[in-house]
Amino acid sequence: SEPMSLALLTERALDDARQLASRVLKSSNPPRWQLKCLSTNVGAICLAAVVEDEKTSTVSTGSIFDLRAARKICSDMMRNGGSPGVGLHALPAFFLEPFVNIACSASTATSNNSELPSVQAAGLRLMTSVTNAFAAHVDPEDGSRVLSQYLSQIISSVRHGLNAESLATESTTGSSFHLLFSSGCDALYALLARELIADPVVMRRLVQPVLSLAADSLYVSYPEDHERDSLLLKTTHVTGDSRTFPLFDLSKLCFIAKVTVLVEQKRIQHTTIEMINNELPKTTRGLVSHSAAASIDGFFLDNHAHGERETITAGLTYKNRSDLDESVIRELRENWPILCVYSMLMLIESIKAERDECKGLSKWMTSLVPLIFNGFRSSLASQSCVPETSALCLYALRLLVQNYIIIEKESISSSELGDIGSTVTEIIFEKLGLSPSKKSACTALTRDRKVIEQACGLIEDMCQSDMIGVNISILTRAAVEPLAAIQEKRVAIDKDTSPIIASSLRSTQHLLLSHPDDG
């Protein structure tokens, strides 16, 4: 038989996939568009799951999405006859081109000159997964990013999805157009977050349909019971699908929130930040109340879904829960943390600029504070914790501590802040291997770089001010014990622990400067 090679291994993987897929066709004869929609959705879900699994993996053989690493992994497999418990198999890095082609084809799919928005939405979901999986990797031959050669196809597909709002008004109304637009927003955010768009003109054209919301939004004070209509998720379009139409504006709001926080946290290069800032709306006061209201509703809907609240019948943005499609409810639930952080950022900015007229703004702020504390606790207590929620809640807590002087003091309890400080200290200590107990709130938290970064940042911020009233012993333990552990050689300095040790040094310095009387 022919000796096994990477090319033969890849071809065999494709043949196996074709044979497995043919079983579906033999057992039934589904319409082609339905099969394409289902298979593309499955691909998007599986690829996203593999990306998440790789993030928390402790195996250091290299990314299965990196071509150089994948070649080495497969070469080792062929030499050893397989991997533990698994036969010879190819890796995703060898199938980038088919992934992109399938995603682009699905995201612009039509039938008899009619749009297929459900298939197109599935294609954009796969596109988002492909972007998140491959964006960081380079071609070992020329050093360019592997997605660069496909960017024109990808951008064209995303632009089509972002045009869904106009398509919906021209076609038979259905929730699929709303889902298509939402998927387009997610795909666009992935491109921006991964810094794949370098042309300002291209960026301007892509974000234009999304940023239109800012000009249409008016500021609304925190409403009394009889004033809530001004915050309702609704549309002026004549449509027979009012339950799903709010997904258009909600998706725009979530996109603006995500991009703003991305810029504020400086997780991208300065040139990209400047380019995005040039496009973000300059006037955001009208968005503050709507994002805060959506965050509050999303939080309570999410708590209800986890069995923590009584039945939710009405909220700030809807009169009856039955008025909302499940896609809208899901968007509110999944995005309440990022909407909360965005609202906090904009409220703090507005309060600083309007100190004499900030009473209405402070009411929104006071309403959001309990969500941050409870949201962080819930993210730790849930059986399958979500590190992204924990990291965002910690970032929001940092905003509260940093801007404590302008926040109504009765809305924040020093003891609650102290409890949070103790909790994040245990997360940091567990990362360092200093936790005295084997119990873990969630292993995923200690493996998540953003959670550890925000946890260390919160301790630093608390150590920097004696105004917040957190017990000095909590802060001293958090700041000093990692340094003592290094001195006693209980912790080794490496790429995972060195950022924590550096943060401990800064926290200790802040503590000495802000609490001189405590020695």
Side-chain angles (χ1 to χ4, degrees):
S1 62
E2 185 180 348
M4 183 61 70
S5 64
L6 285 175
L8 186 59
L9 182 65
T10 304
E11 187 57 40
R12 195 177 77 173
L14 288 171
D15 287 339
D16 289 344
R18 292 187 191 102
Q19 290 180 28
L20 290 169
S22 67
R23 295 178 187 175
V24 177
L25 297 176
K26 289 178 181 177
S27 61
S28 64
N29 187 27
R32 185 175 177 181
W33 72 269
Q34 287 186 356
L35 183 62
K36 193 170 188 176
C37 182
L38 179 61
S39 58
T40 307
N41 271 324
V42 169
I45 293 168
C46 291
L47 195 56
V50 174
V51 171
E52 286 303 312
D53 185 63
E54 192 174 73
K55 282 182 184 178
T56 58
S57 174
T58 56
V59 180
S60 58
T61 53
S63 172
I64 60 176
F65 300 105
D66 179 76
L67 193 55
R68 189 190 301 275
R71 285 171 179 169
K72 184 180 185 308
I73 294 169
C74 284
S75 295
D76 292 343
M77 271 199 297
M78 289 186 290
R79 196 163 41 247
N80 300 325
S83 58
V86 183
L88 287 173
H89 59 278
L91 294 174
F94 304 131
F95 304 103
L96 173 58
E97 185 172 354
F99 275 135
V100 173
N101 289 339
I102 292 168
C104 289
S105 172
S107 60
T108 55
T110 58
S111 178
N112 297 324
N113 295 320
S114 296
E115 302 288 339
L116 295 175
S118 58
V119 181
Q120 294 172 2
L124 286 172
R125 291 187 199 105
L126 179 57
M127 186 77 72
T128 301
S129 295
V130 169
T131 301
N132 290 331
F134 291 96
H137 303 295
V138 299
D139 189 323
E141 307 301 329
D142 60 16
S144 63
R145 298 175 77 172
V146 292
L147 284 179
S148 298
Q149 59 184 310
Y150 306 107
L151 267 182
S152 59
Q153 294 171 254
I154 293 171
I155 288 172
S156 178
S157 298
V158 173
R159 183 183 291 119
H160 180 81
L162 295 171
N163 194 38
E165 191 167 14
S166 61
L167 292 174
T169 59
E170 298 167 4
S171 308
T172 303
T173 307
S175 63
S176 296
F177 279 108
H178 312 79
L179 293 173
L180 173 58
F181 184 80
S182 180
S183 298
C185 290
D186 291 340
L188 176 57
Y189 175 73
L191 292 176
L192 294 179
R194 301 292 180 171
E195 300 186 81
L196 287 168
I197 302 177
D199 188 338
V201 176
V202 172
M203 180 179 291
R204 183 172 299 116
R205 288 174 179 169
L206 285 172
V207 301
Q208 192 173 10
V210 187
L211 300 185
S212 60
L213 180 68
D216 300 333
S217 300
L218 299 175
Y219 174 76
V220 180
S221 298
Y222 191 88
E224 302 299 334
D225 288 341
H226 62 282
E227 298 173 336
R228 296 193 174 191
D229 284 4
S230 51
L231 288 167
L232 293 178
L233 291 169
K234 54 190 176 182
T235 177
T236 56
H237 290 75
V238 178
T239 173
D241 193 19
S242 59
R243 295 177 69 247
T244 56
F245 215 95
L247 194 58
F248 279 124
D249 282 354
L250 185 56
S251 297
K252 294 175 186 177
L253 188 59
C254 292
F255 174 84
I256 293 171
K258 289 176 185 176
V259 172
T260 302
V261 174
L262 180 73
V263 168
E264 286 293 325
Q265 292 186 336
K266 296 180 172 60
R267 295 195 177 279
I268 47 180
Q269 295 181 18
H270 180 68
T271 52
T272 309
I273 289 176
E274 282 189 340
M275 193 162 53
I276 292 175
N277 274 333
N278 287 336
E279 303 307 325
L280 283 174
K282 301 298 182 284
T283 304
T284 57
R285 199 174 190 273
L287 295 176
V288 168
S289 46
H290 296 279
S291 62
S295 175
I296 292 168
D297 284 350
F299 172 81
F300 287 114
L301 286 168
D302 194 49
N303 274 8
H304 169 66
H306 290 108
E308 298 177 26
R309 295 272 172 179
E310 297 179 359
T311 302
I312 304 293
T313 57
L316 293 171
T317 60
Y318 59 95
K319 286 186 176 180
N320 294 292
R321 192 181 186 280
S322 59
D323 293 340
L324 302 180
D325 182 76
E326 283 302 315
S327 61
V328 179
I329 293 173
R330 183 170 59 250
E331 189 83 355
L332 286 168
R333 286 182 54 202
E334 291 177 354
N335 289 286
W336 79 259
I338 195 73
L339 290 170
C340 183
V341 171
Y342 172 72
S343 302
M344 293 290 295
L345 283 166
M346 296 301 102
L347 283 167
I348 288 167
E349 181 181 300
S350 297
I351 290 172
K352 286 179 177 178
E354 306 172 34
R355 290 299 296 269
D356 298 331
E357 303 176 13
C358 66
K359 188 173 182 181
L361 296 169
S362 296
K363 178 63 175 174
W364 279 115
M365 177 83 76
T366 303
S367 301
L368 290 172
V369 170
L371 271 63
I372 300 168
F373 283 96
N374 292 327
F376 179 66
R377 292 194 191 95
S378 296
S379 73
L380 299 178
S382 59
Q383 291 182 342
S384 55
C385 61
V386 183
E388 184 69 21
T389 298
S390 301
L392 286 170
C393 287
L394 287 174
Y395 181 61
L397 284 166
R398 292 185 64 188
L399 292 174
L400 289 176
V401 172
Q402 292 166 5
N403 297 279
Y404 187 74
I405 194 170
I406 67 168
I407 295 168
E408 291 187 8
K409 305 304 180 286
E410 60 269 18
S411 65
I412 304 175
S413 163
S414 296
S415 61
E416 274 194 302
L417 279 174
D419 289 342
I420 297 291
S422 296
T423 300
V424 299
T425 298
E426 294 307 318
I427 292 173
I428 295 168
F429 284 8
E430 188 173 327
K431 178 69 174 179
L432 294 172
L434 298 176
S435 179
S437 169
K438 295 296 182 184
K439 293 182 179 180
S440 171
C442 180
T443 305
L445 294 182
T446 60
R447 292 180 179 173
D448 190 272
R449 181 180 58 83
K450 291 180 183 178
V451 171
I452 297 299
E453 178 185 308
Q454 295 303 330
C456 290
L458 180 60
I459 295 298
E460 285 188 52
D461 292 335
M462 287 181 172
C463 289
Q464 207 161 357
S465 172
D466 60 352
M467 293 178 61
I468 58 175
V470 172
N471 191 311
I472 187 68
S473 63
I474 294 173
L475 301 178
T476 302
R477 177 171 177 260
V480 175
E481 188 157 333
L483 302 179
I486 288 288
Q487 189 174 21
E488 296 164 7
K489 298 184 177 179
R490 288 183 287 142
V491 172
I493 298 181
D494 55 32
K495 64 181 180 66
D496 290 326
T497 61
S498 56
I500 300 176
I501 301 305
S503 177
S504 293
L505 286 168
R506 290 191 295 269
S507 294
T508 303
Q509 182 183 27
H510 293 325
L511 206 56
L512 291 171
L513 293 173
S514 62
H515 297 76
D517 297 335
D518 294 296

